Amino acid sequence: MFDPVCPSDLTPIRFGDKWAGMIIRCLEDGPRRFSELRIPLRGVTAKVLTGSLRALERDGLIRRTVCAGPERRVDYELTPLGRSLLEPMAAACEWAEQHWDELLDAREASSLDRTG
Amino acid sequence: MFDPVCPSDLTPIRFGDKWAGMIIRCLEDGPRRFSELRIPLRGVTAKVLTGSLRALERDGLIRRTVCAGPERRVDYELTPLGRSLLEPMAAACEWAEQHWDELLDAREASSLDRTG
DNA sequence: CTGGATCCAAGTTGATACTG
DNA sequence: CAGTATCAACTTGGATCCAG
């Protein structure tokens, strides 16, 4: 799923911490539960995801809602500010896609310098 | 000088490592020497600046040129790829300027939550 | 289910001293 | 001038276990 965003951390552009960019994209289409977020973000532990979510909340990019009811359930959704971030993110993705090959070539060339 | 870029590391958007974004902006108007770069980047040590420059060079964003002559002199300049990064960087800066107040407000609000 | 607590490995940044 | 070497501090991400 996150191939188009940052295939191998190759692009020099990053949004927040390691998971912030992916979290924002996960929330793009509407609110998601804590456990829903853990599915696409394969490998993220609860603690780290909590940390990222708290940071995003502190910056006013997402809103955390504890839903009433018998079952414990917490929803996260983008605030208008968070949603506005999608624009520069799209610009960053476009740049990454356009210059993907050049980035790869540069890495290859510099690794060849070291070996030969 | 770097107030417009990232006044207090408040924006969630980052380019490369801590100094990469500033280095790129320093090279925007043409080649600069190692020691010239150290002026605006107050506080950066030679080792750290070297590390950032090497990383940018490896990614093909800047080119390093050792100038011939009696005095030791090394120039750094943006490659076309590095220059192309100025576009998404401008988009990021624009976003940061437009939403500066909201970011500040969010931080204030969350710090108030903690104190009272 | 949604985290908090604790511990830990790894990476990042920097201070300081030194070199061709 | 343009770095390199070494060491120390801090930050990050994660594993594991525990709790309301």
Side-chain angles (χ1 to χ4, degrees):
Chain A
M1 167 175 185
F2 283 115
D3 280 1
V5 182
C6 186
S8 324
D9 298 328
L10 202 64
T11 120
I13 312 174
R14 293 227 1 221
F15 291 80
D17 60 29
K18 179 174 178 181
W19 304 95
M22 297 187 258
I23 291 172
I24 290 176
R25 290 191 77 99
C26 284
L27 298 177
E28 199 169 354
D29 296 328
R32 292 283 181 269
R33 303 181 53 178
F34 187 83
S35 48
E36 284 177 316
L37 287 173
R38 298 193 63 178
I39 313 287
L41 275 40
R42 291 201 164 279
V44 71
T45 63
K47 176 203 160 185
V48 173
L49 178 55
T50 301
S52 290
L53 289 169
R54 292 281 188 275
L56 290 169
E57 191 188 3
R58 187 202 44 170
D59 287 351
L61 300 174
I62 66 176
R63 176 166 32 246
R64 178 174 178 271
T65 312
V66 181
C67 304
E71 47 158 358
R72 187 141 164 72
R73 177 197 175 99
V74 180
D75 275 4
Y76 294 90
E77 61 179 330
L78 288 179
T79 61
L81 179 59
R83 194 161 289 280
S84 75
L85 243 189
L86 290 172
E87 225 180 301
M89 265 184 69
C93 286
E94 196 182 351
W95 182 90
E97 284 173 21
Q98 283 175 6
H99 301 283
W100 177 249
D101 299 338
E102 298 171 71
L103 287 169
L104 272 176
D105 289 349
R107 295 260 178 154
E108 267 184 46
S110 61
S111 69
L112 286 180
D113 281 353
R114 282 197 302 277
T115 39
Chain B
M1 164 174 188
F2 283 115
D3 280 1
V5 182
C6 186
S8 323
D9 298 327
L10 203 64
T11 120
I13 312 174
R14 291 220 10 214
F15 290 80
D17 61 28
K18 180 174 178 181
W19 304 95
M22 298 188 259
I23 291 171
I24 290 175
R25 290 192 78 100
C26 285
L27 298 177
E28 199 169 353
D29 296 327
R32 293 282 181 269
R33 305 180 53 176
F34 186 83
S35 49
E36 283 177 316
L37 287 172
R38 298 193 63 177
I39 313 287
L41 275 40
R42 291 200 164 281
V44 72
T45 63
K47 176 202 160 185
V48 174
L49 179 54
T50 300
S52 289
L53 289 169
R54 292 283 188 275
L56 290 169
E57 189 188 5
R58 187 203 45 170
D59 287 352
L61 301 174
I62 65 176
R63 177 167 30 249
R64 177 173 178 273
T65 312
V66 181
C67 303
E71 47 159 358
R72 187 149 164 70
R73 178 196 176 100
V74 179
D75 275 4
Y76 294 91
E77 61 179 329
L78 289 179
T79 62
L81 180 60
R83 194 161 288 280
S84 76
L85 200 52
L86 289 171
E87 224 180 300
M89 265 184 69
C93 286
E94 196 183 352
W95 183 89
E97 283 173 20
Q98 282 175 5
H99 301 284
W100 177 250
D101 298 339
E102 298 171 70
L103 286 169
L104 272 176
D105 289 349
R107 296 262 177 152
E108 268 185 44
S110 62
S111 70
L112 286 180
D113 281 352
R114 282 197 302 278
T115 39

